[in-house]
Amino acid sequence: MKICGFNKTTLLDYPGRVACTIFLGGCNFRCPFCQNGALVVEPNTQPEYSQEEILAFLKKRKGILDGVCISGGEPTLAPELPEFLSRIRELGYDVKLDTNGSALRGKNLAAADLINKIAMDIKACPSNYHALTGVHADLDGIRETAGWLLDGHLDYEFRTTVVRELHSEKDFQEISRWLSGAKAYYLQAYRDSDGVLIPGFSACSEEEMKNYRDILSQTIPVVEIRGMEL
């Protein structure tokens, strides 16, 4: 398991917690708008943190931090993840997992009491998924994970990074039907940077984001926009 990034304090990545964020390298998707492109395609070129280094930090920060966010890349691809999470949980931390939902490991991690919350990235509507992920995505696995979360087995949120050139009303109309009744959905404003896998895309306007929010709000009670001053 390659730990490629470590944000020691965040109030954003785990809402309601003072947390740190751990970034694991490697991913089974190639989303062109990915903000962590180097973690996806060149994890071996990135800095590396040892598990012991992270755990030692968490021991010292007990009472100051109360949450740990595990992100990536796609963290569920790491075979060593359950053991690492077990050691984090033994220190008394709540754990939030960021995942694309394709690997179907969230259920097992939740059953073992290794995670407290999942943030599942919804890339697009199912009919547009392949274009947004850059691969032939396992839609059955994605649907299964989303359905399991909708059934209320674990605290969760769905979220989509919205890219003007890649998303349309059709995406959010389909998502609204697919994930009807979801607990919470967040639309994240895209930000271009050198770290994006394929730079050059653009963010939607405030009007466009509000329109997508209104479409989702027809079937989802809590829909909010992140990363944009409204």
PDB file of all heavy atoms in Angstrom, residues 173-198:
ATOM      1  N   GLN A 173     -30.620  14.571 -14.679  1.00  0.00           N
ATOM      2  CA  GLN A 173     -31.971  14.017 -14.765  1.00  0.00           C
ATOM      3  C   GLN A 173     -31.939  12.511 -14.516  1.00  0.00           C
ATOM      4  O   GLN A 173     -32.771  11.971 -13.771  1.00  0.00           O
ATOM      5  CB  GLN A 173     -32.573  14.333 -16.135  1.00  0.00           C
ATOM      6  CG  GLN A 173     -32.926  15.809 -16.321  1.00  0.00           C
ATOM      7  CD  GLN A 173     -33.170  16.186 -17.769  1.00  0.00           C
ATOM      8  OE1 GLN A 173     -32.945  15.389 -18.686  1.00  0.00           O
ATOM      9  NE2 GLN A 173     -33.630  17.403 -17.989  1.00  0.00           N
ATOM     10  N   GLU A 174     -30.963  11.820 -15.133  1.00  0.00           N
ATOM     11  CA  GLU A 174     -30.836  10.372 -14.913  1.00  0.00           C
ATOM     12  C   GLU A 174     -30.422  10.060 -13.486  1.00  0.00           C
ATOM     13  O   GLU A 174     -30.942   9.123 -12.865  1.00  0.00           O
ATOM     14  CB  GLU A 174     -29.817   9.777 -15.887  1.00  0.00           C
ATOM     15  CG  GLU A 174     -30.337   9.563 -17.283  1.00  0.00           C
ATOM     16  CD  GLU A 174     -29.408   8.671 -18.109  1.00  0.00           C
ATOM     17  OE1 GLU A 174     -28.756   7.777 -17.519  1.00  0.00           O
ATOM     18  OE2 GLU A 174     -29.332   8.876 -19.327  1.00  0.00           O
ATOM     19  N   ILE A 175     -29.470  10.833 -12.957  1.00  0.00           N
ATOM     20  CA  ILE A 175     -29.015  10.600 -11.581  1.00  0.00           C
ATOM     21  C   ILE A 175     -30.165  10.820 -10.603  1.00  0.00           C
ATOM     22  O   ILE A 175     -30.318  10.076  -9.621  1.00  0.00           O
ATOM     23  CB  ILE A 175     -27.828  11.524 -11.247  1.00  0.00           C
ATOM     24  CG1 ILE A 175     -26.583  11.104 -12.034  1.00  0.00           C
ATOM     25  CG2 ILE A 175     -27.526  11.490  -9.741  1.00  0.00           C
ATOM     26  CD1 ILE A 175     -25.436  12.108 -11.951  1.00  0.00           C
ATOM     27  N   SER A 176     -30.986  11.824 -10.863  1.00  0.00           N
ATOM     28  CA  SER A 176     -32.123  12.112  -9.994  1.00  0.00           C
ATOM     29  C   SER A 176     -33.062  10.915  -9.896  1.00  0.00           C
ATOM     30  O   SER A 176     -33.586  10.603  -8.811  1.00  0.00           O
ATOM     31  CB  SER A 176     -32.880  13.336 -10.520  1.00  0.00           C
ATOM     32  OG  SER A 176     -33.975  13.648  -9.702  1.00  0.00           O
ATOM     33  N   ARG A 177     -33.257  10.214 -11.003  1.00  0.00           N
ATOM     34  CA  ARG A 177     -34.102   9.022 -10.983  1.00  0.00           C
ATOM     35  C   ARG A 177     -33.368   7.846 -10.334  1.00  0.00           C
ATOM     36  O   ARG A 177     -33.948   7.094  -9.547  1.00  0.00           O
ATOM     37  CB  ARG A 177     -34.527   8.666 -12.408  1.00  0.00           C
ATOM     38  CG  ARG A 177     -35.459   9.699 -13.047  1.00  0.00           C
ATOM     39  CD  ARG A 177     -36.046   9.189 -14.347  1.00  0.00           C
ATOM     40  NE  ARG A 177     -35.035   9.039 -15.387  1.00  0.00           N
ATOM     41  CZ  ARG A 177     -34.683   9.996 -16.242  1.00  0.00           C
ATOM     42  NH1 ARG A 177     -35.262  11.202 -16.166  1.00  0.00           N
ATOM     43  NH2 ARG A 177     -33.781   9.786 -17.182  1.00  0.00           N
ATOM     44  N   TRP A 178     -32.104   7.682 -10.681  1.00  0.00           N
ATOM     45  CA  TRP A 178     -31.299   6.557 -10.193  1.00  0.00           C
ATOM     46  C   TRP A 178     -31.149   6.601  -8.673  1.00  0.00           C
ATOM     47  O   TRP A 178     -31.326   5.582  -7.986  1.00  0.00           O
ATOM     48  CB  TRP A 178     -29.939   6.596 -10.881  1.00  0.00           C
ATOM     49  CG  TRP A 178     -28.894   5.661 -10.349  1.00  0.00           C
ATOM     50  CD1 TRP A 178     -29.093   4.464  -9.727  1.00  0.00           C
ATOM     51  CD2 TRP A 178     -27.476   5.839 -10.415  1.00  0.00           C
ATOM     52  NE1 TRP A 178     -27.885   3.880  -9.388  1.00  0.00           N
ATOM     53  CE2 TRP A 178     -26.891   4.705  -9.806  1.00  0.00           C
ATOM     54  CE3 TRP A 178     -26.653   6.838 -10.941  1.00  0.00           C
ATOM     55  CZ2 TRP A 178     -25.503   4.561  -9.701  1.00  0.00           C
ATOM     56  CZ3 TRP A 178     -25.279   6.691 -10.842  1.00  0.00           C
ATOM     57  CH2 TRP A 178     -24.706   5.558 -10.228  1.00  0.00           C
ATOM     58  N   LEU A 179     -30.818   7.759  -8.118  1.00  0.00           N
ATOM     59  CA  LEU A 179     -30.503   7.879  -6.695  1.00  0.00           C
ATOM     60  C   LEU A 179     -31.608   8.594  -5.926  1.00  0.00           C
ATOM     61  O   LEU A 179     -31.351   9.252  -4.913  1.00  0.00           O
ATOM     62  CB  LEU A 179     -29.166   8.595  -6.520  1.00  0.00           C
ATOM     63  CG  LEU A 179     -27.972   7.889  -7.189  1.00  0.00           C
ATOM     64  CD1 LEU A 179     -26.703   8.697  -7.003  1.00  0.00           C
ATOM     65  CD2 LEU A 179     -27.794   6.476  -6.650  1.00  0.00           C
ATOM     66  N   SER A 180     -32.820   8.448  -6.385  1.00  0.00           N
ATOM     67  CA  SER A 180     -33.966   9.070  -5.732  1.00  0.00           C
ATOM     68  C   SER A 180     -34.027   8.690  -4.256  1.00  0.00           C
ATOM     69  O   SER A 180     -33.880   7.515  -3.896  1.00  0.00           O
ATOM     70  CB  SER A 180     -35.249   8.618  -6.428  1.00  0.00           C
ATOM     71  OG  SER A 180     -36.387   9.111  -5.771  1.00  0.00           O
ATOM     72  N   GLY A 181     -34.231   9.690  -3.403  1.00  0.00           N
ATOM     73  CA  GLY A 181     -34.324   9.442  -1.972  1.00  0.00           C
ATOM     74  C   GLY A 181     -33.001   9.393  -1.250  1.00  0.00           C
ATOM     75  O   GLY A 181     -32.956   9.104  -0.046  1.00  0.00           O
ATOM     76  N   ALA A 182     -31.910   9.678  -1.951  1.00  0.00           N
ATOM     77  CA  ALA A 182     -30.593   9.662  -1.306  1.00  0.00           C
ATOM     78  C   ALA A 182     -30.556  10.646  -0.139  1.00  0.00           C
ATOM     79  O   ALA A 182     -31.231  11.681  -0.144  1.00  0.00           O
ATOM     80  CB  ALA A 182     -29.512  10.024  -2.319  1.00  0.00           C
ATOM     81  N   LYS A 183     -29.742  10.335   0.850  1.00  0.00           N
ATOM     82  CA  LYS A 183     -29.649  11.174   2.046  1.00  0.00           C
ATOM     83  C   LYS A 183     -29.079  12.555   1.743  1.00  0.00           C
ATOM     84  O   LYS A 183     -29.593  13.568   2.214  1.00  0.00           O
ATOM     85  CB  LYS A 183     -28.770  10.455   3.078  1.00  0.00           C
ATOM     86  CG  LYS A 183     -28.494  11.245   4.331  1.00  0.00           C
ATOM     87  CD  LYS A 183     -27.556  10.475   5.251  1.00  0.00           C
ATOM     88  CE  LYS A 183     -27.214  11.319   6.468  1.00  0.00           C
ATOM     89  NZ  LYS A 183     -26.264  10.616   7.366  1.00  0.00           N
ATOM     90  N   ALA A 184     -27.999  12.590   0.979  1.00  0.00           N
ATOM     91  CA  ALA A 184     -27.340  13.874   0.687  1.00  0.00           C
ATOM     92  C   ALA A 184     -26.530  13.757  -0.595  1.00  0.00           C
ATOM     93  O   ALA A 184     -25.904  12.728  -0.856  1.00  0.00           O
ATOM     94  CB  ALA A 184     -26.422  14.293   1.843  1.00  0.00           C
ATOM     95  N   TYR A 185     -26.562  14.843  -1.377  1.00  0.00           N
ATOM     96  CA  TYR A 185     -25.822  14.875  -2.643  1.00  0.00           C
ATOM     97  C   TYR A 185     -25.139  16.232  -2.748  1.00  0.00           C
ATOM     98  O   TYR A 185     -25.751  17.279  -2.505  1.00  0.00           O
ATOM     99  CB  TYR A 185     -26.785  14.686  -3.821  1.00  0.00           C
ATOM    100  CG  TYR A 185     -26.127  14.152  -5.075  1.00  0.00           C
ATOM    101  CD1 TYR A 185     -26.417  12.877  -5.531  1.00  0.00           C
ATOM    102  CD2 TYR A 185     -25.208  14.915  -5.797  1.00  0.00           C
ATOM    103  CE1 TYR A 185     -25.815  12.375  -6.688  1.00  0.00           C
ATOM    104  CE2 TYR A 185     -24.606  14.419  -6.936  1.00  0.00           C
ATOM    105  CZ  TYR A 185     -24.912  13.147  -7.371  1.00  0.00           C
ATOM    106  OH  TYR A 185     -24.296  12.656  -8.502  1.00  0.00           O
ATOM    107  N   TYR A 186     -23.860  16.194  -3.135  1.00  0.00           N
ATOM    108  CA  TYR A 186     -23.079  17.426  -3.236  1.00  0.00           C
ATOM    109  C   TYR A 186     -22.522  17.588  -4.645  1.00  0.00           C
ATOM    110  O   TYR A 186     -21.920  16.658  -5.192  1.00  0.00           O
ATOM    111  CB  TYR A 186     -21.938  17.421  -2.211  1.00  0.00           C
ATOM    112  CG  TYR A 186     -22.470  17.430  -0.796  1.00  0.00           C
ATOM    113  CD1 TYR A 186     -22.690  16.239  -0.114  1.00  0.00           C
ATOM    114  CD2 TYR A 186     -22.787  18.632  -0.164  1.00  0.00           C
ATOM    115  CE1 TYR A 186     -23.211  16.239   1.170  1.00  0.00           C
ATOM    116  CE2 TYR A 186     -23.310  18.648   1.125  1.00  0.00           C
ATOM    117  CZ  TYR A 186     -23.517  17.455   1.788  1.00  0.00           C
ATOM    118  OH  TYR A 186     -24.030  17.463   3.057  1.00  0.00           O
ATOM    119  N   LEU A 187     -22.741  18.763  -5.197  1.00  0.00           N
ATOM    120  CA  LEU A 187     -22.170  19.130  -6.488  1.00  0.00           C
ATOM    121  C   LEU A 187     -20.918  19.951  -6.219  1.00  0.00           C
ATOM    122  O   LEU A 187     -20.972  20.985  -5.539  1.00  0.00           O
ATOM    123  CB  LEU A 187     -23.170  19.947  -7.298  1.00  0.00           C
ATOM    124  CG  LEU A 187     -24.472  19.224  -7.668  1.00  0.00           C
ATOM    125  CD1 LEU A 187     -25.452  20.200  -8.302  1.00  0.00           C
ATOM    126  CD2 LEU A 187     -24.191  18.052  -8.597  1.00  0.00           C
ATOM    127  N   GLN A 188     -19.789  19.480  -6.720  1.00  0.00           N
ATOM    128  CA  GLN A 188     -18.516  20.132  -6.465  1.00  0.00           C
ATOM    129  C   GLN A 188     -18.056  20.888  -7.705  1.00  0.00           C
ATOM    130  O   GLN A 188     -18.025  20.325  -8.805  1.00  0.00           O
ATOM    131  CB  GLN A 188     -17.465  19.090  -6.051  1.00  0.00           C
ATOM    132  CG  GLN A 188     -17.862  18.336  -4.805  1.00  0.00           C
ATOM    133  CD  GLN A 188     -16.877  17.263  -4.395  1.00  0.00           C
ATOM    134  OE1 GLN A 188     -16.851  16.851  -3.245  1.00  0.00           O
ATOM    135  NE2 GLN A 188     -16.078  16.767  -5.332  1.00  0.00           N
ATOM    136  N   ALA A 189     -17.699  22.141  -7.525  1.00  0.00           N
ATOM    137  CA  ALA A 189     -17.235  22.950  -8.644  1.00  0.00           C
ATOM    138  C   ALA A 189     -15.855  22.476  -9.095  1.00  0.00           C
ATOM    139  O   ALA A 189     -14.952  22.302  -8.286  1.00  0.00           O
ATOM    140  CB  ALA A 189     -17.188  24.419  -8.243  1.00  0.00           C
ATOM    141  N   TYR A 190     -15.703  22.245 -10.377  1.00  0.00           N
ATOM    142  CA  TYR A 190     -14.413  21.839 -10.941  1.00  0.00           C
ATOM    143  C   TYR A 190     -13.421  22.997 -10.874  1.00  0.00           C
ATOM    144  O   TYR A 190     -13.779  24.162 -11.059  1.00  0.00           O
ATOM    145  CB  TYR A 190     -14.601  21.403 -12.393  1.00  0.00           C
ATOM    146  CG  TYR A 190     -13.302  21.168 -13.126  1.00  0.00           C
ATOM    147  CD1 TYR A 190     -12.582  19.999 -12.934  1.00  0.00           C
ATOM    148  CD2 TYR A 190     -12.790  22.127 -13.998  1.00  0.00           C
ATOM    149  CE1 TYR A 190     -11.387  19.788 -13.590  1.00  0.00           C
ATOM    150  CE2 TYR A 190     -11.601  21.924 -14.663  1.00  0.00           C
ATOM    151  CZ  TYR A 190     -10.897  20.750 -14.455  1.00  0.00           C
ATOM    152  OH  TYR A 190      -9.708  20.545 -15.103  1.00  0.00           O
ATOM    153  N   ARG A 191     -12.164  22.664 -10.600  1.00  0.00           N
ATOM    154  CA  ARG A 191     -11.083  23.655 -10.623  1.00  0.00           C
ATOM    155  C   ARG A 191      -9.943  23.107 -11.474  1.00  0.00           C
ATOM    156  O   ARG A 191      -9.414  22.030 -11.189  1.00  0.00           O
ATOM    157  CB  ARG A 191     -10.590  23.948  -9.202  1.00  0.00           C
ATOM    158  CG  ARG A 191     -11.626  24.617  -8.322  1.00  0.00           C
ATOM    159  CD  ARG A 191     -11.057  24.979  -6.957  1.00  0.00           C
ATOM    160  NE  ARG A 191     -12.074  25.544  -6.087  1.00  0.00           N
ATOM    161  CZ  ARG A 191     -12.464  26.817  -6.092  1.00  0.00           C
ATOM    162  NH1 ARG A 191     -11.898  27.654  -6.954  1.00  0.00           N
ATOM    163  NH2 ARG A 191     -13.389  27.257  -5.263  1.00  0.00           N
ATOM    164  N   ASP A 192      -9.575  23.837 -12.494  1.00  0.00           N
ATOM    165  CA  ASP A 192      -8.478  23.402 -13.351  1.00  0.00           C
ATOM    166  C   ASP A 192      -7.135  23.692 -12.673  1.00  0.00           C
ATOM    167  O   ASP A 192      -6.992  24.668 -11.948  1.00  0.00           O
ATOM    168  CB  ASP A 192      -8.545  24.126 -14.695  1.00  0.00           C
ATOM    169  CG  ASP A 192      -7.771  23.398 -15.786  1.00  0.00           C
ATOM    170  OD1 ASP A 192      -7.664  22.163 -15.700  1.00  0.00           O
ATOM    171  OD2 ASP A 192      -7.296  24.065 -16.718  1.00  0.00           O
ATOM    172  N   SER A 193      -6.171  22.819 -12.886  1.00  0.00           N
ATOM    173  CA  SER A 193      -4.836  23.010 -12.320  1.00  0.00           C
ATOM    174  C   SER A 193      -3.864  22.109 -13.058  1.00  0.00           C
ATOM    175  O   SER A 193      -4.258  21.237 -13.840  1.00  0.00           O
ATOM    176  CB  SER A 193      -4.826  22.660 -10.824  1.00  0.00           C
ATOM    177  OG  SER A 193      -4.928  21.258 -10.634  1.00  0.00           O
ATOM    178  N   ASP A 194      -2.582  22.286 -12.787  1.00  0.00           N
ATOM    179  CA  ASP A 194      -1.565  21.439 -13.418  1.00  0.00           C
ATOM    180  C   ASP A 194      -1.656  19.998 -12.944  1.00  0.00           C
ATOM    181  O   ASP A 194      -1.153  19.097 -13.603  1.00  0.00           O
ATOM    182  CB  ASP A 194      -0.166  21.993 -13.107  1.00  0.00           C
ATOM    183  CG  ASP A 194       0.096  23.321 -13.791  1.00  0.00           C
ATOM    184  OD1 ASP A 194      -0.589  23.620 -14.788  1.00  0.00           O
ATOM    185  OD2 ASP A 194       0.982  24.064 -13.320  1.00  0.00           O
ATOM    186  N   GLY A 195      -2.295  19.782 -11.781  1.00  0.00           N
ATOM    187  CA  GLY A 195      -2.407  18.428 -11.251  1.00  0.00           C
ATOM    188  C   GLY A 195      -3.515  17.609 -11.871  1.00  0.00           C
ATOM    189  O   GLY A 195      -3.599  16.398 -11.646  1.00  0.00           O
ATOM    190  N   VAL A 196      -4.378  18.241 -12.671  1.00  0.00           N
ATOM    191  CA  VAL A 196      -5.468  17.517 -13.317  1.00  0.00           C
ATOM    192  C   VAL A 196      -4.899  16.563 -14.355  1.00  0.00           C
ATOM    193  O   VAL A 196      -3.930  16.881 -15.055  1.00  0.00           O
ATOM    194  CB  VAL A 196      -6.455  18.517 -13.963  1.00  0.00           C
ATOM    195  CG1 VAL A 196      -7.516  17.800 -14.770  1.00  0.00           C
ATOM    196  CG2 VAL A 196      -7.099  19.375 -12.883  1.00  0.00           C
ATOM    197  N   LEU A 197      -5.501  15.386 -14.471  1.00  0.00           N
ATOM    198  CA  LEU A 197      -4.996  14.375 -15.394  1.00  0.00           C
ATOM    199  C   LEU A 197      -4.914  14.919 -16.819  1.00  0.00           C
ATOM    200  O   LEU A 197      -3.903  14.753 -17.506  1.00  0.00           O
ATOM    201  CB  LEU A 197      -5.898  13.135 -15.343  1.00  0.00           C
ATOM    202  CG  LEU A 197      -5.352  11.876 -16.020  1.00  0.00           C
ATOM    203  CD1 LEU A 197      -4.028  11.451 -15.399  1.00  0.00           C
ATOM    204  CD2 LEU A 197      -6.374  10.738 -15.898  1.00  0.00           C
ATOM    205  N   ILE A 198      -5.962  15.592 -17.272  1.00  0.00           N
ATOM    206  CA  ILE A 198      -5.944  16.252 -18.583  1.00  0.00           C
ATOM    207  C   ILE A 198      -6.420  17.687 -18.358  1.00  0.00           C
ATOM    208  O   ILE A 198      -7.631  17.956 -18.374  1.00  0.00           O
ATOM    209  CB  ILE A 198      -6.845  15.539 -19.606  1.00  0.00           C
ATOM    210  CG1 ILE A 198      -6.408  14.089 -19.788  1.00  0.00           C
ATOM    211  CG2 ILE A 198      -6.811  16.262 -20.955  1.00  0.00           C
ATOM    212  CD1 ILE A 198      -7.278  13.285 -20.740  1.00  0.00           C
TER     213      ILE A 198
END
